[in-house]
Amino acid sequence: MDVRWEEFGWERLGDGVGRRRLPGWDATVGLVVGDDAVLLYDTGSTLREGAELRAQAQALLGRRVTHIALSHPHFDHVLGTAAFSGAEVYGAVGIDRVLDGDALRVDAVTQGVPAAQAAEAADLLVLPHHFVTGEWTLELGGRQVLLANVGPGHSGHDLALLVPGSSDSPEIVFCGDLVEESGDPQAGPDAVRTRWPAALDRLLDLGGEDAVYVPGHGAVVDAAFVRAQRAQLAAEFGVS
């Protein structure tokens, strides 16, 4: 199951689990490999970025991405999805109501994506096929992973991914932008500030004290970092 992640520009996190930090916004995408299926967590900010991720995954594994989980509905995490034809796409319940192509295009262009690339990705925007209300266990063949709707917080529709530990791997939690390491957490107009600290509590309950936590932007962190960021956000937003 394991592969030579670094040779393809990915960071190995555990047996059959890796991630890549994309250029530009330092957004993370995750990859989890099973015997029968391959799950990608987030898809990048453009179709070009999505196509590059697809090609890397195929070169790395010799097979296609079969499942996609979208951490939340922001352009730098969802606009590459159309590059993965045939993949089953999962998102937090209600995400389809806020994934608006025009709004994503405008946001992407405002943040520096070339207008033609933003328009192309927005025109081909893929909505999830499956919606996670609480928790959803995915069978990838020889391993199971858990999708958990832990929000709202950074957005109204935050979906985390738990990869259970193994003999040589700790629990791994992909957090989306509920946790950020390479900059302060960003609270945009769709953030639910008063509930964000509670979403981090749910992440900590999901992974536990010894888990590896993978932020939406930045280096891998531990439970202590997540707790410190929770305290920072609670103080900033005036909640306990």
Side-chain angles (χ1 to χ4, degrees):
M1 183 183 294
D2 212 3
V3 288
R4 295 169 296 177
W5 297 94
E6 284 75 13
E7 294 182 14
F8 292 86
W10 292 66
E11 177 185 357
R12 181 186 184 275
L13 301 176
D15 182 27
V17 186
R19 67 91 174 245
R20 182 164 181 203
R21 293 167 68 171
L22 299 174
W25 297 275
D26 191 27
T28 279
V29 295
L31 197 63
V32 184
V33 186
D35 293 338
D36 304 322
V38 177
L39 171 68
L40 184 72
Y41 184 74
D42 285 346
T43 61
S45 61
T46 64
L47 285 178
R48 179 177 299 179
E49 209 161 54
E52 180 183 355
L53 292 168
R54 181 193 66 213
Q56 288 177 346
Q58 287 186 257
L60 192 68
L61 306 172
R63 49 201 173 99
R64 297 168 62 88
V65 168
T66 56
H67 297 71
I68 288 170
L70 299 177
S71 66
H72 65 288
H74 293 168
F75 83 92
D76 50 331
H77 299 264
V78 305
L79 282 181
T81 306
F84 298 88
S85 61
E88 294 293 311
V89 183
Y90 295 75
V93 66
I95 193 175
D96 54 320
R97 296 194 295 270
V98 298
L99 275 174
D100 176 84
D102 285 339
L104 288 167
R105 176 186 57 79
V106 170
D107 193 19
V109 171
T110 300
Q111 297 296 326
V113 174
Q117 292 185 36
E120 178 187 35
D123 286 346
L124 296 174
L125 180 66
V126 174
L127 298 179
H129 311 112
H130 310 284
F131 301 100
V132 182
T133 301
E135 296 180 350
W136 190 316
T137 300
L138 284 182
E139 175 61 59
L140 302 181
R143 80 185 314 159
Q144 293 181 330
V145 298
L146 185 71
L147 301 177
N149 184 341
V150 296
H154 174 72
S155 75
H157 308 87
D158 295 305
L159 188 69
L161 166 65
L162 169 67
V163 183
S166 65
S167 58
D168 74 337
S169 303
E171 306 275 326
I172 300 170
V173 181
F174 288 90
C175 306
D177 285 7
L178 286 167
V179 179
E180 298 193 38
E181 185 277 335
S182 53
D184 289 333
Q186 299 299 302
D190 62 338
V192 185
R193 292 164 172 78
T194 58
R195 297 178 66 180
W196 196 334
L200 296 187
D201 289 336
R202 287 190 284 275
L203 280 180
L204 290 165
D205 289 341
L206 193 65
E209 186 62 27
D210 298 324
V212 167
Y213 292 87
V214 186
H217 302 263
V220 168
V221 300
D222 59 12
F225 181 97
V226 178
R227 281 196 302 273
Q229 196 153 95
R230 185 218 184 276
Q232 171 192 342
L233 291 172
E236 181 179 344
F237 301 149
V239 297
S240 59

